[in-house]
Amino acid sequence: MVSTPLHILVITGSARRGRLSDRVSSFVMQRLARLEGVTAQLADLAAIALPVMEERLGRVDPPPPGLVELGTAIERADAIVIVSPEYNHGYPGVLKNALDYFLPQFKRTPVALVTVSGGGHGGVIAWSQLVPVLVYMGAFVLPQTVAVSKVQDSFAPDGTALEPAYEKRVDGMLAELVWLAGRVRG
Ligand SMILES: Cc1cc2nc3c(=O)[nH]c(=O)nc-3n(C[C@H](O)[C@H](O)[C@H](O)COP(=O)(O)O)c2cc1C
């Protein structure tokens, strides 16, 4: 029996002009493409450009462009990878703004976090702030995480890892995410 592939959504949580976190999202997409039994989709918050949240999906009429599609993508996903930079010892407002449009869509959804910084500590403070938000929203936050330091030196513009250790780290995290998504799907 051939089972339906697990579908994984990768969300890029940086909308900055000249951003570098999109390199990491590209890398995650490339590693997902190597996995059998997995399909992947990228949601780029820069491209969706949601306005400041006035009400959640389902309560805002008409919904802003892209909101329904993003909500459907989240609901459809068996698991989600959020790639987030660290801004001012937190995660970006554009990501919080997007998350706040949703609540039930994240319930019982496995979520892996990849944090990104230009400095040496890999955005771990952004990670520490994202975890309680996602737990509140009912997501199953994966304990395994990847913290990308010095992103400008670690990844090429096309998403190639210049620091090979990230292949093992991301592959390990994705393996755990796929396992959890399979268990949750049952
Ligand atoms: C507004 C702003 C605040 C930032 N604050 C931090 C920070 O607190 N800690 C950190 O390690 N890097 C910080 N950075 C650097 C980012 O981590 C760096 O830009 C990195 O490339 C990831 O973000 P990006 O996707 O916007 O490029 C900040 C960058 C911006 C634009």
Side-chain angles (χ1 to χ4, degrees):
M1 189 182 79
V2 179
S3 59
T4 314
L6 288 167
H7 187 65
I8 298 186
L9 178 70
V10 178
I11 298 176
T12 303
S14 167
R16 187 177 69 85
R17 287 182 202 172
R19 65 194 172 160
L20 300 177
S21 298
D22 58 340
R23 300 181 180 192
V24 181
S25 296
S26 298
F27 178 69
V28 172
M29 290 294 289
Q30 289 166 23
R31 301 313 285 186
L32 283 167
R34 297 163 61 98
L35 300 180
E36 278 184 32
V38 169
T39 58
Q41 176 185 358
L42 184 66
D44 181 355
L45 295 186
I48 300 170
L50 293 171
V52 169
M53 200 280 299
E54 293 179 348
E55 243 319 343
R56 289 178 192 163
L57 176 62
R59 301 182 190 194
V60 55
D61 187 20
L67 181 63
V68 172
E69 291 80 1
L70 180 58
T72 303
I74 293 168
E75 271 180 339
R76 195 181 149 228
D78 292 298
I80 296 174
V81 179
I82 297 179
V83 178
S84 173
E86 180 169 301
Y87 286 171
N88 296 324
H89 281 191
Y91 60 95
V94 70
L95 178 55
K96 184 68 162 71
N97 187 62
L99 290 173
D100 287 344
Y101 275 105
F102 306 109
L103 184 65
Q105 291 81 5
F106 275 87
K107 190 176 178 187
R108 295 181 182 154
T109 303
V111 177
L113 296 174
V114 177
T115 52
V116 181
S117 78
H121 68 74
V124 293
I125 302 176
W127 175 87
S128 71
Q129 296 184 7
L130 271 165
V131 170
V133 171
L134 290 161
V135 167
Y136 175 81
M137 296 176 79
F140 295 149
V141 182
L142 198 73
Q144 290 79 12
T145 187
V146 175
V148 174
S149 298
K150 300 186 190 309
V151 60
Q152 64 280 1
D153 300 329
S154 303
F155 288 91
D158 68 355
T160 303
L162 304 172
E163 176 60 64
Y166 285 110
E167 293 178 0
K168 197 172 170 188
R169 289 175 198 161
V170 168
D171 289 351
M173 183 197 72
L174 292 176
E176 293 298 315
L177 186 66
V178 166
W179 177 87
L180 180 60
R183 293 300 290 248
V184 170
R185 185 199 264 181

